[in-house]
Amino acid sequence: MSVDFEHSPRAREYLERVETFIREEINPREENYLRELLNSENVWQVSPLVEELKGKARSQGLWNLFLPDEVHGAGLSNVEYAPLAELMGRSHIASEVFNCNAPDTGNMEVLLHYGSDEQRKRWLAHLLDGEIRSAFCMTEPDVASSDATNIQARALIEGDEVVLDGVKWWCTNAGHPRCEFMIFMGLTDPHAHRYAKHSTVLVPRDTPGVSVERMLPVMGFHDAPSGHGEVRFDGVRLPLSAVIGEPGQGLAIVQSRLGPGRVHHCMRLIGLAEVALELACRRAVKRTAFGKPLANLGGNRERIAQARAAIDQARLLVLNAAWQLDVKGIKGALGAVSQIKFVVPTMAQEVIDMAIQIHGGAGLSNDLPLAGAWAAARSLRLADGPDEVHRGFVARLELAPYYSSTLDA
Ligand SMILES: Cc1cc2nc3c(=O)[nH]c(=O)nc-3n(C[C@H](O)[C@H](O)[C@H](O)COP(=O)(O)OP(=O)(O)OC[C@H]3O[C@@H](n4cnc5c(N)ncnc54)[C@H](O)[C@@H]3O)c2cc1C
């Protein structure tokens, strides 16, 4: 099958419109927004600027672009949406402005595919409208959560209720004042088959027994106003109708939200790496040391060339994964998706690190977006599964034909 990554006319039109919106509406105001946020006494607040921009983006039809179905989204394929995610990754706030930010995107997909009519009406509709935010609570401090079958917080069925107990952490969006529900994954039947023990439950944020205990910084950055929270669920009682899909379907539901989401994350990181390379090049030609522009000192040209090649290689790999998702579906594309998940964050981390170095001390300050960008790239080597788990999966696929039994691979 031949692969053609030329933008379709529809994708080209969206690219132009998103690029224009970011250039004209977001870029001129973003630096000021970030400075104000940094100096604000309470960073966990809804930003009037982001709300205003959301309204404008929506009125221009630049809304829920990640959703491939035409009723709720723009009807774009993964290959068509990927370059839009790259553009959004160049800005701190763009993905939220277009209602395309994680983890709400994954939660919308879950509710679209598995939610009951009631869950869709009460929660999905408001998420699609960008009126509320949501969190996804799987990871736990007490167990190695990169193996989702380890999850031990309880989601026990008692009569016509489900009762939740346990502590989750790294729940992105938990600090957002408009985070109104959380998707909780917990153990329902310890004796069931390994892949059928867990359930996912939709938990309204104000349910008695739910408390956000603290917000966790990522290497000093709080990623406000969304943030990453540690959340306690203490005897939280909900009607059985709060279970998403069927009890025992939790693991399958969790897996299903991770295919396109990883393409989005990786393309956003490619956008971030492009910004870092641009900043590095500007600095390298303008600043002089030892009588020469930095670009002409030491191995800086080599590093810049290497960064360009690394970004372009990574982009092609991600487009390939997006294409496989489009033609083979999530199951058929799992290997390609795991490849990008361990290649792109490391690539972005290295390019951003090079840009920090070329900026000297300024690169580490908050005057430039580089330190925050480095922390974001670094964190994605863990978020959505550590590099090693994805490498292990790709190795298993690669080795499978050489083993006599698939169980050995
Ligand atoms: C910024 C950020 C946002 C996040 N957002 C969310 C969120 O919204 N919701 C949520 O539920 N979670 C979230 N997470 C959590 C994230 O998904 C987990 O941290 C990740 O899955 C790893 O789980 P763990 O921390 O328990 O590490 P562990 O499972 O304890 O793993 C620790 C280390 O063990 C090694 N390891 C594990 N498995 C293997 C293997 N198979 N082969 C080799 N080595 C291995 C790796 O070095 C790994 O890093 C977020 C994390 C970060 C940093």
Side-chain angles (χ1 to χ4, degrees):
M1 214 179 299
S2 67
V3 188
D4 179 3
F5 293 137
E6 186 64 41
H7 299 311
S8 67
R10 186 171 55 164
R12 211 173 307 123
E13 188 217 315
Y14 272 108
L15 266 173
E16 275 172 26
R17 289 169 58 202
V18 168
E19 196 271 328
T20 306
F21 191 97
I22 292 176
R23 180 165 32 82
E24 291 181 358
E25 302 284 351
I26 299 182
N27 288 352
R29 299 154 89 183
E30 185 161 12
E31 206 180 310
N32 201 29
Y33 161 81
L34 291 174
R35 198 176 313 113
E36 280 180 10
L37 183 69
L38 216 64
N39 295 324
S40 160
E41 270 182 26
N42 176 13
V43 292
W44 310 106
Q45 285 195 50
V46 174
S47 152
L49 172 67
V50 171
E51 292 307 301
E52 180 199 324
L53 291 171
K54 276 164 65 179
K56 275 193 181 166
R58 189 169 191 188
S59 69
Q60 294 182 21
L62 301 175
W63 196 248
N64 292 334
L65 301 169
F66 69 100
L67 272 177
D69 89 85
E70 295 199 11
V71 181
H72 304 96
L76 297 172
S77 67
N78 285 292
V79 167
E80 288 174 318
Y81 176 66
L84 301 179
E86 176 176 343
L87 281 179
M88 292 179 208
R90 298 175 60 92
S91 149
H92 197 70
I93 55 175
S95 58
E96 186 174 359
V97 165
F98 300 113
N99 215 36
C100 290
N101 56 295
D104 294 310
T105 46
N107 290 348
M108 287 189 246
E109 280 163 359
V110 163
L111 292 181
L112 260 181
H113 294 129
Y114 297 95
S116 63
D117 287 347
E118 183 195 336
Q119 289 165 346
R120 290 184 187 187
K121 210 165 139 199
R122 172 70 187 86
W123 303 104
L124 175 62
H126 297 290
L127 256 193
L128 286 166
D129 285 343
E131 289 166 7
I132 62 171
R133 302 273 64 122
S134 62
F136 176 73
C137 305
M138 185 189 90
T139 305
E140 298 175 8
D142 292 340
V143 295
S145 305
S146 50
D147 176 357
T149 63
N150 276 345
I151 293 307
Q152 65 173 13
R154 304 285 155 158
L156 298 181
I157 312 279
E158 290 183 9
D160 56 2
E161 289 185 323
V162 55
V163 185
L164 316 181
D165 276 289
V167 177
K168 302 286 185 178
W169 71 347
W170 293 108
C171 305
T172 301
N173 257 356
H176 200 289
R178 294 219 176 126
C179 178
E180 291 202 9
F181 76 90
M182 302 173 172
I183 294 182
F184 171 99
M185 177 175 157
L187 186 62
T188 296
D189 180 358
H191 307 295
H193 181 273
R194 196 163 177 248
Y195 300 119
K197 294 177 181 205
H198 295 88
S199 308
T200 42
V201 183
L202 195 158
V203 189
R205 166 76 181 81
D206 58 4
T207 313
V210 178
S211 51
V212 177
E213 304 274 285
R214 60 175 173 146
M215 299 306 296
L216 300 155
V218 176
M219 300 179 133
F221 295 92
H222 269 101
D223 295 343
S226 302
H228 315 281
E230 180 170 313
V231 187
R232 180 175 293 278
F233 296 81
D234 197 3
V236 174
R237 285 187 173 268
L238 290 159
L240 258 188
S241 58
V243 172
I244 301 172
E246 298 293 326
Q249 221 186 347
L251 215 70
I253 291 176
V254 167
Q255 291 294 336
S256 76
R257 71 193 287 290
L258 294 175
R262 286 175 177 148
V263 168
H264 308 168
H265 266 322
C266 288
M267 284 308 281
R268 283 193 292 262
L269 273 187
I270 287 173
L272 206 54
E274 285 285 6
V275 169
L277 180 56
E278 275 171 37
L279 289 171
C281 290
R282 285 215 182 89
R283 187 78 163 189
V285 297
K286 272 204 183 135
R287 203 165 164 98
T288 305
F290 302 98
K292 290 180 186 170
L294 300 184
N296 293 347
L297 287 173
N300 286 340
R301 281 181 176 250
E302 296 268 322
R303 284 182 202 109
I304 283 167
Q306 210 57 48
R308 165 51 56 218
I311 295 175
D312 289 353
Q313 281 177 336
R315 184 185 292 105
L316 283 173
L317 202 66
V318 183
L319 288 174
N320 174 56
W323 175 77
Q324 292 210 27
L325 277 170
D326 288 338
V327 297
K328 300 181 186 174
I330 290 182
K331 273 198 179 147
L334 280 179
V337 170
S338 274
Q339 283 181 40
I340 62 171
K341 188 58 191 49
F342 67 78
V343 167
V344 178
T346 302
M347 176 286 293
Q349 192 191 320
E350 286 171 4
V351 170
I352 296 163
D353 191 71
M354 177 278 290
I356 288 175
Q357 193 68 13
I358 249 178
H359 280 83
L364 294 171
S365 75
N366 281 340
D367 292 355
L368 292 161
L370 293 169
W374 190 92
R378 181 66 188 85
S379 70
L380 271 168
R381 293 185 51 204
L382 287 163
D384 270 5
D387 290 354
E388 292 87 343
V389 171
H390 292 287
R391 285 203 193 94
F393 181 68
V394 172
R396 205 166 87 207
L397 292 180
E398 200 64 23
L399 289 167
Y402 304 95
Y403 283 105
S404 47
S405 149
T406 48
L407 289 178
D408 296 331

